[in-house]
């Protein structure tokens, strides 16, 4: 059937070859360094360079723990590096095996989809190794995943910026009898309001939302 054929295609495209370049986008799961899949770990150990995306989500352990478990150095990439300066990584992936690590699942953020598209536009082969994501792990609370409506992000409010669009989406889900998964904002190496320009200035400490807030 169609699902079986698609599965075969995905398996073939995700096989790691000993020669040739590729961007290996690897999900790390939600907990610590040991949540990576066997296939993900085997792929990392075959790569020339390993990069960790560190701003859309944060793993529960330091980068040093990853490096010790993986047996190789890991380069941390912040928002600016991922969104504006990733061409160097993609050029390396044209000739070498490169790993791009993502907390949760690879396609849990549109930023990663954009990177995959950019890589293919540059002629880079893209392989994806999935892992657990909050989008399915939220089932641990006892609510059925089939009954969730659209997911919303709850941003940090500031004196100048107070977006309430998430409220309308929660209300729309409620009218349909659906649950809502709310993703709480984090800020990692974000420019302060007093110095908003990228490329310079002080970065405030990385705050995180809490459920009480």
């Amino acid at each position: 059937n169609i699902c079986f054929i698609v599965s075969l295609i995905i398996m073939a495209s995700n096989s790691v070859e000993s020669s040739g370049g590729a961007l290996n986008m690897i999900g790390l799961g939600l907990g610590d360094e040991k949540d990576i899949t066997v296939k993900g770990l085997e792929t990392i150990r075959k790569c020339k360079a390993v990069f960790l995306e560190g701003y859309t989500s944060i793993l529960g352990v330091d980068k040093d723990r990853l490096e010790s478990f993986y047996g190789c150095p890991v380069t941390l990439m912040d928002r600016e590096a991922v969104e504006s300066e990733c061409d160097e990584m993609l050029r390396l992936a044209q000739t070498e095996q490169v790993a791009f690590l993502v907390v949760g699942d690879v396609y849990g953020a549109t930023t990663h989809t954009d990177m995959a598209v950019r890589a293919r536009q540059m002629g880079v082969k893209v392989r994806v190794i999935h892992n657990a994501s909050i989008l399915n792990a939220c089932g641990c609370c006892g609510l059925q995943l089939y009954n969730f409506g659209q997911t919303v992000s709850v941003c940090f409010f500031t004196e100048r910026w107070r977006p309430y669009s998430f409220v309308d989406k929660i209300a729309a889900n409620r009218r349909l009898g659906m649950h809502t998964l709310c993703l709480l904002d984090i800020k990692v190496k974000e420019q302060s309001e007093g110095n908003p320009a990228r490329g310079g200035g002080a970065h405030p400490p990385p705050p995180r939302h809490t459920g009480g807030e």
Side-chain angles (χ1 to χ4, degrees):
N1 57 32
I2 294 178
C3 291
F4 178 71
I5 294 173
V6 170
S7 296
L8 289 178
I9 293 173
I10 293 174
M11 290 173 62
S13 66
N14 285 345
S15 61
V16 179
E17 302 170 357
S18 58
S19 61
L23 177 66
N24 299 279
M25 304 181 73
I26 303 172
L28 299 183
L30 299 171
D32 55 31
E33 72 277 16
K34 295 183 179 180
D35 277 355
I36 192 169
T37 63
V38 173
K39 181 183 290 185
L41 183 59
E42 290 175 344
T43 300
I44 286 174
R45 290 175 174 172
K46 294 177 182 177
C47 286
K48 179 76 171 181
V50 180
F51 299 89
L52 170 64
E53 187 268 275
Y55 82 90
T56 60
S57 189
I58 301 174
L59 203 61
V61 296
D62 294 334
K63 182 171 71 76
D64 293 346
R65 288 265 295 272
L66 300 183
E67 293 176 328
S68 176
F69 188 69
Y70 300 158
C72 63
V74 175
T75 301
L76 186 64
M77 299 181 73
D78 58 19
R79 176 189 289 271
E80 186 172 355
V82 172
E83 295 183 349
S84 305
E85 301 173 1
C86 69
D87 285 350
E88 183 177 349
M89 179 183 70
L90 297 181
R91 282 193 293 269
L92 179 62
Q94 290 177 325
T95 57
E96 303 285 354
Q97 293 290 325
V98 173
F100 180 71
L101 312 182
V102 177
V103 178
D105 186 67
V106 170
Y107 289 132
T110 55
T111 297
H112 310 139
T113 303
D114 178 67
M115 176 170 289
V117 171
R118 291 172 64 182
R120 292 188 173 102
Q121 289 174 341
M122 293 175 62
V124 176
K125 185 171 185 177
V126 177
R127 301 188 183 97
V128 176
I129 300 176
H130 295 285
N131 207 322
S133 165
I134 190 61
L135 296 175
N136 61 287
C138 64
C140 70
C141 66
L143 301 177
Q144 293 295 319
L145 295 178
Y146 298 106
N147 293 328
F148 275 83
Q150 58 182 322
T151 300
V152 303
S153 295
V154 182
C155 301
F156 276 106
F157 282 6
T158 69
E159 291 184 1
R160 303 177 183 178
W161 192 56
R162 303 176 70 83
Y164 286 98
S165 57
F166 68 91
V167 175
D168 295 332
K169 294 179 180 179
I170 293 174
N173 286 343
R174 187 175 177 83
R175 285 194 296 270
L176 294 173
M178 310 294 282
H179 311 306
T180 303
L181 174 61
C182 298
L183 305 179
L184 304 183
D185 198 9
I186 59 174
K187 288 182 179 292
V188 180
K189 201 178 177 182
E190 296 281 352
Q191 294 288 346
S192 63
E193 284 192 357
N195 202 338
R198 289 188 177 183
H203 299 282
R208 305 186 193 189
H209 260 146
T210 64
E213 293 173 326

